[in-house]
Amino acid sequence: MENQDKKRNIIIEAALKRFAHYGLSKTTMTEIAKDISFSKALLYYYFPDKLSLYVSAIEHLMQIISRDLVKSIDKTSSSTEGVFKLLQKRQSFIQKYYNLLESSQIIGCELPENLCEKFNKARAFETIIIGSLFNRGITNGEFEMEDPKLTTEIFIDALSGIHFNIMSKDKNIFPEKEQFKQIFLKEKVFAEIFLQGLKPRTQE
């Protein structure tokens, strides 16, 4: 069983590299098998088709991102620094795995239900992280707010609004790289203004 899990992980990691570099449509099972010197039949033993392997690669990536986010934010000295670290990390991951994430939009209505579930879990995880940073800020006297949960929801809704507003100007389903630069810049400026408003009056 341990050997099977090891082979499965090797396949997923190889697929992640391929999908990240070439995207879903330009990657074949044959190429992935060749990268790791496995037979194509072995790949199909673990994954019935390329889409199921893609879903597993996305899930694996989200686990990597989650661990890295928690580790990076734990090292920050303030909640404000933690929020900006989260935005910066999210930007770097999207840039690195742009082709992989764009593919999830290309398959559109064919998006598997379990993949939608994983994206929803990722958003929920981000909500938990931001909420914990706001609560940490309250505890250490950095922030002042009556309803941390509502404040977290407003902050996340506003970030989503920035994304939607930029995308509504074009017909693209998924932002192009230049659009992402606009999104990240506006997210950073918005976060600066929002977090400044949460500081106790004595710190202003």
Side-chain angles (χ1 to χ4, degrees):
M1 182 64 72
E2 184 178 338
N3 188 47
Q4 286 187 335
D5 288 341
K6 187 177 179 181
K7 286 182 179 179
R8 187 176 186 278
N9 288 336
I10 290 172
I11 294 169
I12 290 172
E13 288 174 3
L16 180 58
K17 290 178 182 178
R18 274 275 171 185
F19 290 139
H21 191 72
Y22 299 104
L24 177 64
S25 61
K26 294 182 180 180
T27 296
T28 67
M29 296 290 268
T30 301
E31 290 167 338
I32 295 170
K34 186 178 180 181
D35 287 342
I36 50 180
S37 300
F38 281 4
S39 68
K40 193 161 72 167
L42 183 61
L43 263 66
Y44 283 113
Y45 171 79
Y46 289 99
F47 303 97
D49 51 43
K50 185 172 70 171
L51 192 54
S52 65
L53 178 52
Y54 174 78
V55 171
S56 293
I58 286 281
E59 182 177 28
H60 181 66
L61 174 61
M62 287 179 176
Q63 290 171 352
I64 292 172
I65 293 173
S66 298
R67 287 195 297 268
D68 187 71
L69 270 178
V70 171
K71 187 177 179 181
S72 297
I73 289 173
D74 281 346
K75 293 179 180 178
T76 56
S77 58
S78 68
S79 296
T80 298
E81 184 186 348
V83 172
F84 286 117
K85 176 63 71 173
L86 184 146
L87 295 178
Q88 180 264 319
K89 280 286 182 180
R90 185 172 64 171
Q91 175 184 358
S92 62
F93 273 116
I94 289 176
Q95 288 177 332
K96 183 176 180 179
Y97 295 102
Y98 180 84
N99 291 328
L100 178 78
L101 298 170
E102 183 185 39
S103 297
S104 68
Q105 304 298 320
I106 292 172
I107 54 182
C109 60
E110 299 176 12
L111 200 65
E113 186 176 334
N114 56 345
L115 185 54
C116 289
E117 183 183 333
K118 287 172 176 54
F119 281 125
N120 288 333
K121 283 184 178 179
R123 282 190 286 269
F125 175 77
E126 187 171 84
T127 300
I128 291 170
I129 291 290
I130 292 174
S132 67
L133 283 167
F134 282 175
N135 282 308
R136 184 173 118 187
I138 294 171
T139 302
N140 63 26
E142 185 182 350
F143 296 147
E144 199 173 75
M145 61 189 87
E146 292 183 7
D147 191 337
K149 183 178 179 182
L150 179 60
T151 303
T152 301
E153 290 175 359
I154 292 171
F155 183 77
I156 292 172
D157 286 347
L159 291 178
S160 299
I162 290 171
H163 184 284
F164 177 79
N165 186 56
I166 290 175
M167 291 309 301
S168 66
K169 296 175 183 176
D170 298 288
K171 295 183 179 180
N172 296 337
I173 297 175
F174 192 72
E176 295 177 355
K177 291 184 179 181
E178 281 303 312
Q179 288 175 314
F180 264 123
K181 288 181 181 179
Q182 296 177 43
I183 291 170
F184 294 138
L185 175 61
K186 289 188 176 183
E187 281 183 342
K188 184 175 181 295
V189 173
F190 163 74
E192 288 172 350
I193 297 169
F194 191 94
L195 297 179
Q196 182 64 31
L198 295 179
K199 289 183 178 180
R201 292 182 184 277
T202 54
Q203 292 186 21
E204 293 178 356

Short mmCIF file of all heavy atoms in Angstrom, two decimals, residues 156-166:
data_model
loop_
_atom_site.label_atom_id
_atom_site.label_comp_id
_atom_site.label_asym_id
_atom_site.label_seq_id
_atom_site.Cartn_x
_atom_site.Cartn_y
_atom_site.Cartn_z
N ILE A 156 -13.30 40.28 2.56
CA ILE A 156 -13.22 39.28 1.49
C ILE A 156 -14.16 39.63 0.34
O ILE A 156 -13.80 39.48 -0.84
CB ILE A 156 -13.51 37.87 2.04
CG1 ILE A 156 -12.37 37.45 2.97
CG2 ILE A 156 -13.68 36.85 0.91
CD1 ILE A 156 -12.61 36.18 3.73
N ASP A 157 -15.36 40.10 0.67
CA ASP A 157 -16.30 40.52 -0.38
C ASP A 157 -15.72 41.66 -1.22
O ASP A 157 -15.90 41.70 -2.44
CB ASP A 157 -17.63 40.96 0.24
CG ASP A 157 -18.47 39.80 0.74
OD1 ASP A 157 -18.14 38.64 0.40
OD2 ASP A 157 -19.45 40.05 1.48
N ALA A 158 -15.04 42.58 -0.55
CA ALA A 158 -14.44 43.71 -1.25
C ALA A 158 -13.32 43.25 -2.19
O ALA A 158 -13.20 43.74 -3.32
CB ALA A 158 -13.91 44.73 -0.25
N LEU A 159 -12.51 42.30 -1.73
CA LEU A 159 -11.46 41.75 -2.59
C LEU A 159 -12.08 41.08 -3.81
O LEU A 159 -11.58 41.23 -4.94
CB LEU A 159 -10.62 40.72 -1.81
CG LEU A 159 -9.71 41.26 -0.69
CD1 LEU A 159 -9.00 40.11 0.00
CD2 LEU A 159 -8.70 42.27 -1.22
N SER A 160 -13.17 40.35 -3.60
CA SER A 160 -13.87 39.70 -4.72
C SER A 160 -14.44 40.74 -5.67
O SER A 160 -14.45 40.54 -6.89
CB SER A 160 -15.00 38.81 -4.19
OG SER A 160 -14.50 37.79 -3.36
N GLY A 161 -14.91 41.86 -5.09
CA GLY A 161 -15.47 42.93 -5.91
C GLY A 161 -14.43 43.56 -6.82
O GLY A 161 -14.72 43.90 -7.97
N ILE A 162 -13.20 43.69 -6.32
CA ILE A 162 -12.11 44.24 -7.15
C ILE A 162 -11.88 43.32 -8.35
O ILE A 162 -11.76 43.78 -9.49
CB ILE A 162 -10.82 44.36 -6.31
CG1 ILE A 162 -10.97 45.47 -5.27
CG2 ILE A 162 -9.60 44.63 -7.22
CD1 ILE A 162 -9.83 45.54 -4.26
N HIS A 163 -11.84 42.03 -8.07
CA HIS A 163 -11.65 41.03 -9.12
C HIS A 163 -12.78 41.11 -10.14
O HIS A 163 -12.55 41.17 -11.36
CB HIS A 163 -11.60 39.64 -8.47
CG HIS A 163 -11.29 38.53 -9.43
ND1 HIS A 163 -12.23 38.03 -10.31
CD2 HIS A 163 -10.17 37.82 -9.64
CE1 HIS A 163 -11.69 37.05 -11.01
NE2 HIS A 163 -10.44 36.91 -10.64
N PHE A 164 -14.02 41.13 -9.66
CA PHE A 164 -15.20 41.15 -10.54
C PHE A 164 -15.24 42.42 -11.38
O PHE A 164 -15.55 42.38 -12.57
CB PHE A 164 -16.47 41.02 -9.71
CG PHE A 164 -17.73 41.10 -10.53
CD1 PHE A 164 -18.18 40.01 -11.25
CD2 PHE A 164 -18.45 42.29 -10.58
CE1 PHE A 164 -19.34 40.09 -12.03
CE2 PHE A 164 -19.60 42.39 -11.35
CZ PHE A 164 -20.05 41.29 -12.07
N ASN A 165 -14.93 43.56 -10.78
CA ASN A 165 -14.99 44.84 -11.47
C ASN A 165 -14.02 44.89 -12.64
O ASN A 165 -14.37 45.38 -13.74
CB ASN A 165 -14.70 45.98 -10.50
CG ASN A 165 -14.89 47.34 -11.14
OD1 ASN A 165 -15.95 47.64 -11.66
ND2 ASN A 165 -13.85 48.16 -11.10
N ILE A 166 -12.82 44.39 -12.43
CA ILE A 166 -11.82 44.37 -13.51
C ILE A 166 -12.23 43.40 -14.61
O ILE A 166 -12.10 43.69 -15.79
CB ILE A 166 -10.43 44.03 -12.94
CG1 ILE A 166 -9.90 45.20 -12.10
CG2 ILE A 166 -9.43 43.72 -14.08
CD1 ILE A 166 -8.59 44.95 -11.40
#
